[in-house]
Amino acid sequence: MQTGQSVCVAIGILPVDSGTAAEAMDSPFFDGFDTRSVRVGELVFHMRLGGSGPPLLLLHGYPQSHVAWHAVAEDLAREFTLVVPDLPGYGDSVGPPLASDHRNHSKRFTAARLVELMASLGHHTFAVAAHDRGARVGFRMVMDEPERVLGFASLDTVPTLDIWDAADKAFALDAWHWPFLAQPAPFPERLIAAAPDVFLDQLLTRWEGSKDALDARAVAEYRRCFRNPRVLEAMSEDYRAGATVDVEHDQADRDAGRRVQCPVFVLRGERYTASPLDGIWRRWADDVQSLTLDCGHFIAEEQPADCARALLPFFLGLNWI
Amino acid sequence: MFGCQFELSDITTPSCQLRVRHGGSGPPLLLLHGYPQSHAMWHAIAPALSAHFHVICPDLRGYGQSEKPASTPDHAPHSKRAMAADMVALMQQLGYPSFAVVGHDRGARVAHRLILDHPHRVTRACVMDIAPTLHMFETTDQAFASSYYHWFFLIQPNGLPETLIGHDPDWYLTETLQRTCGAGFAFDEAALQDYQHAFANPDTIHACCEDYRAAASIDLEHDRASRAAGERVRCPLLVLWGDQGFVHRQYDVLAVWSQYADDVQGGSLHTGHYLAEEDPAGTLQALLAFLPKNP
């Protein structure tokens, strides 16, 4: 197999010489993919690029990085040109400065920058597969820039507004990290920094569908990133936006009756998400299909073959222009 | 703190050894502190109360310098029932088969359970800045989960909160106090040192987490059983809260308590969460008007 190479491209050209990026290059994943760092405004997206065919953007979730797609990337790359970035501030991407109203970490802000990124790579329309926090960005992109996104797969995620609307004791017990991470800076990030490995491992263990379901090399990569205080800060800010400005954006869409224009494919890991998500998505979108898989929250890592087998026909069946 | 009319003792009850500050003369008045504090939180009002009452301020089990009982998977040693039983034993030992009780925060939850489990022991009660545990859990929404994130964080298993808090307990403690008190308030330095001294002990941090784990499990079982059995607060209940805090914003406080108690009165002070420290004069005035003094 071809060895992955590091390439720096405009919008901004960045040397890939930092220790973190060098470590990331040693990653056993994404064989044959390029590694790039691309500046978009004040952000720098660290990403993998590979495959051929129509463009497909893959967005990971919390508490992870683009590596979350490692087990499906090869299958998807046979049919699609993959763009697999770390979300702003996550992994080895550089996030924006904190804003007091959390607007710089709103899903709207991130979605707009990712659209710019895709355009800079020559992809003016594309499809999106996204998990967890990434799926919140994907949803916002679909709502804000409907002409860009031809199809959207949401892995184990419903819109933020629906989460908070349904928040009750069971939610707060299960998703306790939502209110915890949304506490004012620097409280949660400083607490987590006391024992990042312990914190990360407890979340991964709780959310996976079976013991040691995740590749140990991927977990090592998540740990490396999670030990970076700037990553912890960006993650908390993502949740602070998720408790405030993101909810306002979702509510404005709901109040205005705006709907998802493209086909939506909802995957659910039933060992983590007990109830079907289709009903919630049908309140936002007309064209919804769904699939339930026997796994926990990390569908693309726990059931990569089934996940890729499901995603391929959905994305191939889109109305590619 | 507290002055020379108070003595500080370790009192061994059959269930637990408690650090207790007590003094004054008159009818017995039990003051129960909350999280993340100790009996020292009563320093600003206890001396004035001691002119009218024998004021008894213990550290709850696990908190302050009281004994840290071993925890169990069902959290029973940190249930409000166990803490309430400590208080009955303590007051019995001091010669008081019945008494008035004032509780703040976790101490108010202990007071609530004490009234339900031992209705003939409690003559009058005051709860400060809480709604009943059952009500708060049953009406959980985004606002509650966000403001009371610690109810869900402190109950996480495998020692996670203990590890994170224990890394820098002084910072955590100060930050927590500052985030929940009224704007511009500064805690008494000696009281703060007492809280910090307790939190320097990992066993205290664990016991406090166990208090919250109990609240989310076994305490709720007890509360549901009490509700099913028609148990209510029958004694006069004074409910006080701070108008700069979450309880004020979230709940129709007196109406909520009226679902759990027969004889409810009260109102808000212009404070954050720590009424007795932030507005000792207002707190005293409300308590002295409510509690029957010696003729």
Side-chain angles (χ1 to χ4, degrees):
Chain A
M1 270 207 192
Q2 182 191 345
T3 305
Q5 54 179 157
S6 271
V7 183
C8 302
V9 297
I11 297 169
I13 300 180
L14 296 164
V16 183
D17 60 358
S18 72
T20 53
E23 280 184 66
M25 281 166 57
D26 291 337
S27 161
F29 305 122
F30 298 95
D31 208 7
F33 281 62
D34 291 341
T35 301
R36 294 200 196 180
S37 291
V38 175
R39 179 180 293 281
V40 179
E42 62 271 74
L43 310 185
V44 179
F45 284 107
H46 172 81
M47 76 190 89
R48 308 285 185 168
L49 298 177
S52 60
L56 174 60
L57 175 64
L58 303 182
L59 300 176
H60 69 87
Y62 177 86
Q64 304 187 283
S65 71
H66 78 277
V67 167
W69 296 105
H70 74 88
V72 294
E74 196 178 329
D75 282 350
L76 297 177
R78 291 199 189 97
E79 302 285 353
F80 297 97
T81 298
L82 299 186
V83 179
V84 197
D86 290 335
L87 289 172
Y90 284 71
D92 294 308
S93 283
V94 177
L98 302 196
S100 58
D101 61 1
H102 315 303
R103 211 155 284 269
N104 288 356
H105 290 75
S106 66
K107 307 309 157 279
R108 171 160 292 164
F109 183 98
T110 304
R113 297 308 178 280
L114 283 165
V115 167
E116 278 187 65
L117 170 71
M118 292 301 278
S120 79
L121 298 170
H123 308 311
H124 297 282
T125 60
F126 50 89
V128 179
H131 177 233
D132 192 86
R133 306 311 290 182
R136 303 184 188 289
V137 175
F139 172 64
R140 183 44 46 207
M141 195 183 292
V142 163
M143 298 304 286
D144 287 358
E145 315 233 17
E147 68 286 358
R148 303 283 188 179
V149 186
L150 301 181
F152 175 46
S154 170
L155 276 62
D156 224 29
T157 306
V158 296
T160 302
L161 178 61
D162 296 290
I163 293 280
W164 285 124
D165 271 356
D168 59 4
K169 181 189 175 211
F171 163 80
L173 290 174
D174 188 52
W176 63 276
H177 66 292
W178 278 58
F180 174 73
L181 293 172
Q183 296 303 305
F187 188 72
E189 46 265 57
R190 186 165 164 180
L191 272 174
I192 295 167
D197 286 10
V198 174
F199 191 92
L200 177 73
D201 289 355
Q202 186 141 331
L203 291 187
L204 295 178
T205 303
R206 177 141 172 193
W207 298 348
E208 66 190 1
S210 55
K211 193 169 163 5
D212 299 327
L214 304 190
D215 188 308
R217 296 167 302 173
V219 172
E221 178 63 9
Y222 304 145
R223 281 187 194 145
R224 178 185 69 81
C225 298
F226 210 75
R227 289 173 193 147
N228 179 349
R230 295 190 69 87
V231 170
L232 295 179
E233 180 186 68
M235 289 171 162
S236 282
E237 198 62 13
D238 175 2
Y239 280 84
R240 286 189 277 263
T244 53
V245 61
D246 291 342
V247 185
E248 293 167 22
H249 296 158
D250 287 2
Q251 188 69 54
D253 280 341
R254 181 187 284 174
D255 292 346
R258 280 191 284 271
R259 297 179 62 75
V260 177
Q261 304 296 313
C262 68
V264 176
F265 187 23
V266 184
L267 285 80
R268 175 169 69 94
E270 64 182 348
R271 296 194 193 185
Y272 179 75
T273 301
S275 305
L277 305 175
D278 335 17
I280 292 167
W281 277 106
R282 288 209 171 82
R283 298 207 293 264
W284 290 99
D286 297 322
D287 183 352
V288 177
Q289 46 187 297
S290 66
L291 178 70
T292 302
L293 294 169
D294 179 23
C295 61
H297 186 49
F298 306 105
I299 295 172
E301 291 166 277
E302 297 185 51
Q303 293 284 10
D306 287 351
C307 180
R309 199 176 300 130
L311 291 177
L312 281 168
F314 171 73
F315 286 123
L316 287 169
L318 296 176
N319 187 21
W320 292 99
I321 302 155
Chain B
M1 280 193 301
F2 289 86
C4 57
Q5 66 270 46
F6 279 81
E7 64 170 281
L8 188 62
S9 331
D10 287 321
I11 297 182
T12 304
T13 75
S15 53
C16 197
Q17 180 175 309
L18 301 169
R19 179 178 69 158
V20 183
R21 180 129 21 197
H22 66 108
S25 58
L29 175 60
L30 178 65
L31 304 183
L32 301 178
H33 69 85
Y35 179 89
Q37 304 191 287
S38 69
H39 80 274
M41 63 155 285
W42 301 112
H43 69 90
I45 64 168
L49 289 170
S50 72
H52 309 281
F53 305 100
H54 181 194
V55 177
I56 297 132
C57 314
D59 291 342
L60 295 171
R61 63 162 62 197
Y63 284 82
Q65 301 303 318
S66 284
E67 188 182 336
K68 324 293 179 197
S71 49
T72 62
D74 67 357
H75 314 299
H78 295 83
S79 65
K80 303 312 143 294
R81 174 160 288 166
M83 293 184 187
D86 289 344
M87 295 308 133
V88 170
L90 168 68
M91 295 305 277
Q92 189 73 45
Q93 210 148 314
L94 293 171
Y96 301 121
S98 69
F99 47 88
V101 60
V102 175
H104 174 242
D105 189 85
R106 310 309 292 178
R109 301 185 193 286
V110 176
H112 188 197
R113 178 44 56 194
L114 176 51
I115 296 163
L116 296 177
D117 284 358
H118 310 276
H120 303 297
R121 302 277 184 179
V122 182
T123 54
R124 290 186 159 239
C126 169
V127 288
M128 291 188 189
D129 217 41
I130 69 161
T133 306
L134 193 55
H135 183 82
M136 292 176 103
F137 271 126
E138 287 183 341
T139 60
T140 295
D141 60 5
Q142 180 183 358
F144 175 73
S146 299
S147 276
Y148 274 51
Y149 84 91
H150 65 292
W151 278 38
F152 306 98
F153 166 60
L154 295 175
I155 67 175
Q156 292 308 308
N158 306 322
L160 180 70
E162 286 93 328
T163 301
L164 299 187
I165 294 167
H167 181 74
D168 190 352
D170 278 3
W171 168 76
Y172 169 83
L173 184 74
T174 310
E175 190 75 12
T176 297
L177 291 168
Q178 284 305 326
R179 284 156 43 98
T180 46
C181 71
F185 176 70
F187 285 87
D188 178 86
E189 203 50 48
L192 191 57
Q193 276 175 21
D194 198 68
Y195 311 148
Q196 287 173 338
H197 181 50
F199 259 60
N201 180 354
D203 292 341
T204 306
I205 296 173
H206 175 63
C208 293
C209 290
E210 283 294 304
D211 174 7
Y212 283 86
R213 291 181 183 122
S217 55
I218 189 168
D219 289 348
L220 286 179
E221 291 170 26
H222 296 158
D223 288 350
R224 291 200 181 97
S226 288
R227 182 165 63 187
E231 292 168 6
R232 293 168 61 79
V233 177
R234 308 287 182 195
C235 69
L237 181 69
L238 176 67
V239 181
L240 300 177
W241 65 95
D243 69 5
Q244 297 175 46
F246 175 78
V247 169
H248 180 75
R249 289 195 300 277
Q250 182 80 349
Y251 306 106
D252 183 347
V253 186
L254 294 179
V256 169
W257 273 105
S258 296
Q259 296 168 28
Y260 292 79
D262 291 343
D263 179 2
V264 178
Q265 56 184 289
S268 64
L269 298 177
H270 189 50
T271 64
H273 184 51
Y274 305 93
L275 286 72
E277 290 160 284
E278 295 182 49
D279 183 8
T283 306
L284 264 176
Q285 190 183 356
L287 289 177
L288 289 173
F290 173 73
L291 297 169
K293 297 181 283 287
N294 269 352

